[in-house]
Amino acid sequence: MGPSLTFRAGVHDVLPTVFGYIGVGLAFGIVAHTSHLSLLVVAGLSFIVYAGSAQFIITSMLLLHDPLSAIFISTFLVNSRMILMSTSLAQYFRHESLTRNLLIGSLVTDETFALAMNKQNKTNGKLSFAWQSAANVVAYLVWGIATIVGAVLGGLITNPERFGFDFALTAMFIGLVYLQLISDRHLGLSLQLMVMLFVALVYYFMIGIMSQNFALLVATVTGCLFGMEMKKCR
Amino acid sequence: MSMSLTELWTILGCGLVTIISRALPFAFVKSLTMPAWLINFLSFVPITIMTALCCQSLFIANPGHLATLNVANCLAAIPATIAGVLTKSLLMVVVVGIMAMAVLRYFSIG
């Protein structure tokens, strides 16, 4: 990943993360197929809702005939981390027009957010509309197509896990968190390591008493507060 | 190719909920001046959220009890992390991770 912020550079930088999308997208398509969702519903979920983990939850709730209100609330809770990420990312685009801000915002994901945070470490804290849009649009199309291919192949491949593709997403986050750790000069290595350890501990204890998505939020928010305190002490 | 009315409303409603969570903060941040403490808070969001997302696949939740390790994922994470340290390349982390997991599954480990 270099310092260039062109559309082309965006396409180039997002390619490694595409593997994660293909693996999980295929998995989602297969799950949707076995949950008796039609191709049209799979396409609707992927291109209109466009929210990886929430799509799995929506699928299982549809299968269980849960009420619409419950599905909406679950989707909001699973995606509430988006509010934190978008607020964080939006600071880099304040100079852009409102339309461009909304365009970027409507396609942000965990992965393109993490990628952008890695990128700005290489560009002295700058991001561009062209670069971010390229990353967003490639991710969006690859996700949608992968889920549809997964739904079509659903009847043929019964065990995609055999080939290890389900680990692609985890591996991608490991890579992104490592690159973030070594390249964020603003916070520094020791402070970040302390914050990571704190987040892991909070998450570990919280998942016993609350849902994974709540635990993720609690660990994230308390981790940020912990980091702020530690920074003051230095 | 079919879609029930419930499915249609689910897609439209969840789409709306998701886009609001994603896009609205961009409109707020653009029009408001952010206080210094909030910017300070947000500077920790990348590392905390990415760590928590990693933890989500490394731990298994056991409601009411302490979490346990997802052994296969933790084992595959080791060569993936080493690949990251050696190459500093996201692609290599992903490729090595997938290969490690395929090997673990082949030998039914974890």
Side-chain angles (χ1 to χ4, degrees):
Chain A
M1 198 187 288
S4 171
L5 281 167
T6 57
F7 190 87
R8 247 182 110 95
V11 173
H12 178 262
D13 291 341
V14 79
L15 284 182
T17 70
V18 160
F19 286 90
Y21 281 98
I22 294 175
V24 182
L26 287 174
F28 174 74
I30 294 167
V31 168
H33 173 86
T34 51
S35 309
H36 314 295
L37 296 186
S38 70
L39 280 182
L40 194 63
V41 177
V42 172
L45 285 171
S46 293
F47 286 112
I48 296 175
V49 183
Y50 185 45
S53 48
Q55 285 179 219
F56 282 94
I57 293 163
I58 294 167
T59 303
S60 70
M61 291 182 88
L62 276 174
L63 198 65
L64 296 169
H65 298 290
D66 280 325
L68 277 176
S69 56
I71 299 180
F72 294 159
I73 292 168
S74 301
T75 303
F76 176 74
L77 289 178
V78 177
N79 287 335
S80 47
R81 67 176 188 284
M82 300 273 183
I83 300 172
L84 281 174
M85 284 191 282
S86 282
T87 312
S88 201
L89 184 62
Q91 293 174 78
Y92 297 90
F93 297 100
R94 289 188 65 176
H95 58 282
E96 297 282 5
S97 70
L98 183 63
T99 318
R100 286 184 160 198
N101 268 278
L102 293 177
L103 281 174
I104 291 172
S106 50
L107 289 182
V108 173
T109 63
D110 294 337
E111 294 80 2
T112 55
F113 165 76
L115 196 68
M117 291 300 130
N118 273 204
K119 184 73 178 183
Q120 60 85 27
N121 285 321
K122 300 225 163 34
T123 60
N124 291 319
K126 283 195 184 63
L127 291 173
S128 76
F129 176 74
W131 183 87
Q132 188 70 54
S133 300
N136 282 352
V137 170
V138 170
Y140 178 68
L141 293 178
V142 169
W143 171 254
I145 293 166
T147 58
I148 292 170
V149 171
V152 173
L153 294 179
L156 307 174
I157 307 171
T158 44
N159 191 5
E161 294 180 351
R162 220 180 86 203
F163 305 105
F165 281 111
D166 56 317
F167 190 69
L169 198 70
T170 307
M172 191 182 65
F173 281 121
I174 290 171
L176 285 168
V177 81
Y178 175 72
L179 295 174
Q180 178 71 21
L181 184 66
I182 57 168
S183 53
D184 194 328
R185 286 176 221 97
H186 174 67
L187 295 177
L189 191 66
S190 58
L191 177 60
Q192 288 191 95
L193 281 173
M194 275 194 289
V195 171
M196 284 177 72
L197 186 67
F198 182 87
V199 169
L201 281 172
V202 171
Y203 183 81
Y204 172 76
F205 287 111
M206 288 300 141
I207 43 175
I209 54 172
M210 57 179 74
S211 80
Q212 294 203 29
N213 293 304
F214 261 125
L216 187 120
L217 281 181
V218 170
T220 303
V221 171
T222 55
C224 291
L225 295 172
F226 174 79
M228 286 166 80
E229 282 305 310
M230 284 292 116
K231 207 169 150 191
K232 259 189 245 167
C233 298
R234 283 201 304 189
Chain B
M1 278 292 207
S2 65
M3 189 186 286
S4 71
L5 206 57
T6 312
E7 287 170 339
L8 179 66
W9 281 117
T10 302
I11 289 169
L12 295 179
C14 292
L16 188 70
V17 166
T18 307
I19 206 164
I20 286 173
S21 313
R22 272 190 180 127
L24 220 55
F26 276 83
F28 275 116
V29 171
K30 169 125 186 89
S31 51
L32 302 171
T33 324
M34 306 268 275
W37 66 264
L38 186 57
I39 292 175
N40 190 11
F41 178 90
L42 291 172
S43 72
F44 287 96
V45 167
I47 192 78
T48 52
I49 247 175
M50 287 183 229
T51 306
L53 285 166
C54 283
C55 291
Q56 217 165 28
S57 26
L58 298 180
F59 294 135
I60 297 172
N62 304 305
H65 298 277
L66 281 179
T68 43
L69 287 179
N70 183 328
V71 177
N73 279 2
C74 288
L75 286 177
I78 297 169
T81 309
I82 294 172
V85 174
L86 293 179
T87 64
K88 295 186 173 55
S89 150
L90 190 57
L91 187 60
M92 285 311 289
V93 178
V94 174
V95 169
V96 170
I98 292 176
M99 289 189 328
M101 186 51 94
V103 170
L104 287 171
R105 292 266 159 74
Y106 183 77
F107 293 106
S108 310
I109 302 169

